[in-house]
Amino acid sequence: MKIYTRTGDKGTTSLVGGTRAAKNDPRIEAYGTVDELMAHTGYLHDMLGEKHQEEKKQLEWVLDRLMSCASLLASEDTLMAKLPQVFPDDIARLEKHIDELQEGLPELRHFTLPCGHPQLSYSHICRTVCRRAERRVVGAAEQYPDVPETVRGYLNRLSDYFYALGRRLGYDLGAADVPWEPKK
């Protein structure tokens, strides 16, 4: 099987179901940004060492859920019900992971800068790409109201997860939070 089809050479791509859409359609932008987030998440996963096996498992689950988000965004509205879904329980599971990641960390009393250790910094890259994906999904949902609210909710919570993961990784690796101290 060839990986190229040439069908997108004129600026369109097909949704799950076969409908053609412009490559700059809000829905395509949304699932493309989720795809970018998946690549960053996979890289972060691969950066983690033996000490962070639980976090690696969490990131594999996150990747699975992101695939579901992307497939829902890439689907014709009539086919969404047949695809893997994102459920409210997925959002609750993220919240549980966030709470677990924060256990034992120093209390935050200031904004922090996204630096201190490469794994911490890369968590922030994932966080910011996730925020962009969320913005793209909100835009797509304005034009396509059948985009599941759980996709938006999941991405919103996922960015919080990446922040908490970055703090956990930094703490575990001996990198203190770097506070932002605005100049007056």
Side-chain angles (χ1 to χ4, degrees), residues 34-44 63 122:
V34 170
D35 186 34
E36 180 183 352
L37 175 59
M38 289 171 34
H40 284 293
T41 302
Y43 186 67
L44 177 59
L63 285 166
Y122 215 84

Side-chain angles (χ1 to χ4, degrees), residues 111 113 178-184:
F111 287 105
L113 300 177
V178 179
W180 176 53
E181 298 175 7
K183 305 298 180 221
K184 305 251 179 189

Side-chain angles (χ1 to χ4, degrees), residues 2 8 18 22 24 27 33 38 70-71 86 91-92 115-116 123 126 129 142 144 150 154 156 158 164 167-168 177 183:
K2 292 185 178 188
N24 64 351
R27 179 175 272 173
T33 308
M38 289 171 34
S71 67
V86 177
I91 298 167
C115 61
S123 292
C126 291
V129 174
E142 289 174 356
Y144 301 99
T150 52
Y154 184 81
N156 184 39
L158 183 59
R167 288 199 72 222
R168 168 54 57 198
D177 289 324
K183 305 298 180 221

Side-chain angles (χ1 to χ4, degrees), residues 60-74:
E60 289 167 10
W61 173 78
V62 165
L63 285 166
D64 174 77
R65 299 294 68 223
L66 287 173
M67 283 291 280
S68 293
C69 290
S71 67
L72 290 165
L73 292 165

Side-chain angles (χ1 to χ4, degrees), residues 137-157:
V137 169
V138 167
E142 289 174 356
Q143 188 170 340
Y144 301 99
D146 288 339
V147 170
E149 285 186 31
T150 52
V151 171
R152 288 176 275 181
Y154 184 81
L155 292 172
N156 184 39
R157 207 70 77 254

Side-chain angles (χ1 to χ4, degrees), residues 4 28 30 45 47 54 78 89 107 123 136 142 159 172 176:
Y4 59 88
I28 308 307
H45 170 278
M47 291 175 74
E54 184 58 35
T78 57
D89 286 351
E107 183 180 346
S123 292
R136 296 291 187 268
E142 289 174 356
S159 63
D172 289 352

Side-chain angles (χ1 to χ4, degrees), residues 6 31 52-53 110 128 137 162 173 179 182:
R6 298 185 179 132
Y31 83 70
H52 292 106
Q53 289 303 308
H110 46 72
T128 59
V137 169
F162 283 122
L173 297 165

Side-chain angles (χ1 to χ4, degrees), residues 92-112:
R93 182 171 172 178
L94 270 180
E95 291 171 349
K96 180 178 180 276
H97 289 321
I98 292 167
D99 294 342
E100 291 168 348
L101 288 167
Q102 293 188 105
E103 287 177 13
L105 294 180
E107 183 180 346
L108 277 178
R109 297 183 181 275
H110 46 72
F111 287 105
T112 60

